[in-house]
Amino acid sequence: MGGTGSQYDHDAKTYVSKGYDINSSVYSIISQQASKTGSIPYYFKKIEDKNEAKSYQREIKSFNPNSPFSAQRLKRLEKKAFVSGEDFLDMPIPRPNVMQSWCEFYSMYKTFLKLNGNVYIYMLTPEDGANAGEPQAYYLLPSHLIEIVVKNDVDYLMIDESPVDHYVLIEGAQFSKFPAKDVVHIKLPNANFDFNGAHLYGQSPLRAALKNIEASNSAMDQNIKTLKNSGAYGLIHGKTQPLTQGQASELKDRLKEMDDDPSRMSKIAGMSQEIGFTRLSLTADELKPFDYLNYDKKEIAACLNWVLMDNNTSDFGNTMKEIKKQRLVDDILPDLELFQEAFNDIILPKYKKYNGYMLIFDASTLPEMQMDIEILVRWNSSALLDGVINRNEYRENLGYPVIKSEEFERYTTKMGIVPLEEAFIEVEELEEEEDVIINE
């Protein structure tokens, strides 16, 4: 049995109950991130050269979608690292579980990661039979309900094995235990540390935005109260002399009747003396609640690493396309790389059929990742004429099928479209002729 229970974030449920469930800014941003994550294409590529595959993984992390050179370099590394045409395999099982598709699974993965900073994937693995040791189902455990239980007498400073004994899902008085060997834990960086295992949890991106979430919720509640009360709070009183108790009670009753009666004439009332009104609160215009709401939304979006689009954003100069591209490069793909690494290192080796394969998420075919065609053609045309790329690489870069011909695989230069090796020969012959002339 395990020993100490470790709990880092005491507000884990708050991110769901006060953020995702009721705060429109939190929900809209995370739902956009989740749906985009579920749309990223993926492939299983067969590794031909392990070193080149590692180089490919490093290059894809620094990939610049606006650079034709970066795209060309990535494609060349891909050709060296993987076997061509061996990317037809799908996920090891058709669905992660009976309740979800893989698209839903990736979307929920992103949701838990952004809400809580932790993702716990439970692998349902048979111990006997033909599929022994190969997971037959995957479940995303609710991150905000999971507690990590560490082993007894763990020394966090001198450790060469996982300190986790098991995971516990706690909801009210009920709990379920999951062995550490059956759970893949993916987490975001966490600078907190203590000797109870606080550092074993990832930190929620929303933890730093809790005050903004609270302020946003409070502002919306106040707006609703203001709308229901039809304006600012204040006191009605006699302007020249105080109201008697009877006059005050009668005035209050009359105001209630006017508020309950929807007819136009209910808005007209008579008074036997002049009255005044002293305001006790600021108006909505003075409070400027929407300015504060916009500020809070920007802070929440910044913590979630998401670029916002507002009513002033247009597609002039490809502004919207660039924002969508930035979202992919800065947020969606880095979080998918965490899943990709965990899947390749821990899950995929369990399947014999996938020995030598690697899961790769590839967003290069998405519309927002496409380079400007004019820039792409200009760069490739120059590279072709300078002998940097061949004609099949040129066609491939522009999205055309390659032509199986030796001529299209040769590298040529500007000199009458001369093969590169022949161009060197001609230069050497010219130099020899010049030497003969000089000697004569």
Side-chain angles (χ1 to χ4, degrees):
M1 293 294 293
T4 310
S6 172
Q7 185 177 359
Y8 156 60
D9 193 350
H10 297 277
D11 296 315
K13 294 182 181 179
T14 304
Y15 304 131
V16 178
S17 61
K18 299 298 183 183
Y20 191 74
D21 286 348
I22 66 172
N23 188 286
S24 59
S25 296
V26 174
Y27 175 80
S28 63
I29 293 171
I30 292 182
S31 63
Q32 289 177 60
Q33 293 174 323
S35 61
K36 195 62 185 179
T37 299
S39 70
I40 305 300
Y42 59 88
Y43 307 92
F44 285 96
K45 296 183 179 293
K46 189 172 183 179
I47 300 173
E48 185 170 12
D49 188 314
K50 289 185 178 180
N51 290 329
E52 293 294 344
K54 291 179 181 179
S55 298
Y56 176 83
Q57 287 182 295
R58 289 193 295 267
E59 182 68 23
I60 204 169
K61 291 180 180 179
S62 60
F63 171 65
N64 179 5
N66 294 317
S67 169
F69 174 77
S70 181
Q72 180 65 26
R73 175 175 170 79
L74 193 64
K75 284 185 178 180
R76 287 190 172 179
L77 281 173
E78 183 179 0
K79 288 181 178 179
K80 294 179 181 178
F82 306 109
V83 179
S84 178
E86 292 286 339
D87 55 1
F88 54 84
L89 288 179
D90 205 343
M91 277 293 178
I93 52 178
R95 298 173 68 88
N97 56 70
V98 295
M99 301 297 293
Q100 290 179 312
S101 66
W102 280 109
C103 179
E104 292 172 310
F105 189 88
Y106 295 137
S107 296
M108 188 55 67
Y109 157 82
K110 181 70 169 183
T111 300
F112 280 135
L113 191 65
K114 285 301 184 182
L115 278 175
N116 190 254
N118 297 276
V119 175
Y120 304 93
I121 304 174
Y122 171 62
M123 302 177 290
L124 186 61
T125 309
E127 296 182 357
D128 303 311
N131 296 319
E134 296 187 356
Q136 298 302 299
Y138 302 95
Y139 295 89
L140 287 167
L141 304 179
S143 300
H144 56 294
L145 304 178
I146 296 296
E147 181 177 335
I148 299 176
V149 179
V150 299
K151 299 172 183 176
N152 284 317
D153 303 323
V154 170
D155 185 352
Y156 291 112
L157 299 180
M158 300 292 292
I159 191 168
D160 57 0
E161 62 178 12
S162 173
V164 179
D165 186 82
H166 61 274
Y167 300 86
V168 181
L169 192 161
I170 303 174
E171 174 55 31
Q174 298 181 334
F175 68 92
S176 297
K177 177 181 174 182
F178 300 90
K181 67 180 180 63
D182 293 334
V183 176
V184 178
H185 181 197
I186 302 172
K187 62 182 184 295
L188 295 180
N190 175 18
N192 295 276
F193 176 88
D194 63 33
F195 286 100
N196 290 321
H199 54 288
L200 300 178
Y201 294 83
Q203 177 166 318
S204 167
L206 292 176
R207 183 174 177 82
L210 275 176
K211 290 184 179 180
N212 297 100
I213 294 173
E214 182 182 357
S216 177
N217 290 341
S218 298
M220 289 302 299
D221 291 340
Q222 187 62 39
N223 282 345
I224 293 173
K225 290 180 181 179
T226 302
L227 290 172
K228 286 184 175 179
N229 287 279
S230 302
Y233 296 103
L235 296 173
I236 297 176
H237 52 81
K239 195 168 187 179
T240 56
Q241 61 184 23
L243 296 173
T244 64
Q245 182 63 41
Q247 289 175 322
S249 298
E250 184 179 353
L251 176 59
K252 183 178 180 180
D253 293 339
R254 180 59 185 138
L255 288 173
K256 287 183 177 179
E257 292 176 8
M258 293 168 65
D259 189 55
D260 293 337
D261 190 345
S263 64
R264 288 193 306 160
M265 297 301 293
S266 67
K267 307 303 178 185
I268 301 175
M271 290 294 296
S272 58
Q273 72 176 73
E274 189 176 7
I275 61 172
F277 176 76
T278 300
R279 183 156 55 89
L280 300 179
S281 64
L282 299 176
T283 64
D285 182 60
E286 292 169 329
L287 287 170
K288 301 186 183 300
F290 293 106
D291 290 347
Y292 287 107
L293 283 171
N294 288 334
Y295 169 78
D296 288 326
K297 185 173 183 177
K298 289 178 181 178
E299 291 299 299
I300 292 170
C303 288
L304 290 172
N305 200 24
W306 197 245
V307 183
L308 293 174
M309 289 189 190
D310 54 33
N311 295 330
N312 297 322
T313 303
S314 67
D315 203 29
F316 179 76
N318 287 330
T319 304
M320 292 178 67
K321 180 181 177 181
E322 290 303 315
I323 289 177
K324 290 179 179 179
K325 185 185 296 184
Q326 185 177 349
R327 288 174 171 179
L328 275 171
V329 173
D330 293 347
D331 179 76
I332 303 298
L333 294 179
D335 285 351
L336 276 176
E337 284 177 13
L338 296 177
F339 180 89
Q340 179 179 294
E341 289 178 4
F343 197 91
N344 288 329
D345 293 344
I346 303 173
I347 298 177
L348 205 58
K350 297 179 182 293
Y351 296 93
K352 297 177 182 177
K353 181 181 177 181
Y354 288 78
N355 183 32
Y357 281 85
M358 177 185 292
L359 172 66
I360 299 289
F361 286 92
D362 186 2
S364 62
T365 58
L366 297 179
E368 55 265 44
M369 294 295 282
Q370 304 308 305
M371 282 179 280
D372 184 275
I373 191 64
E374 183 179 350
I375 296 174
L376 191 62
V377 170
R378 186 166 61 245
W379 186 91
N380 278 279
S381 297
S382 176
L384 177 66
L385 293 175
D386 291 338
V388 177
I389 62 174
N390 60 41
R391 275 168 169 66
N392 267 338
E393 289 174 326
Y394 182 95
R395 294 177 62 85
E396 193 175 18
N397 292 342
L398 295 182
Y400 293 100
V402 298
I403 296 176
K404 294 182 179 180
S405 170
E406 184 179 344
E407 296 298 322
F408 278 77
E409 294 293 335
R410 302 178 74 179
Y411 291 86
T412 59
T413 66
K414 297 178 183 178
M415 298 166 49
I417 316 300
V418 178
L420 198 59
E421 60 272 17
E422 295 180 13
F424 290 140
I425 293 172
E426 290 183 5
V427 170
E428 291 174 357
E429 291 176 349
L430 287 173
E431 290 177 347
E432 290 177 358
E433 291 178 1
E434 289 178 355
D435 291 339
V436 171
I437 294 172
I438 292 172
N439 291 331
E440 289 178 353

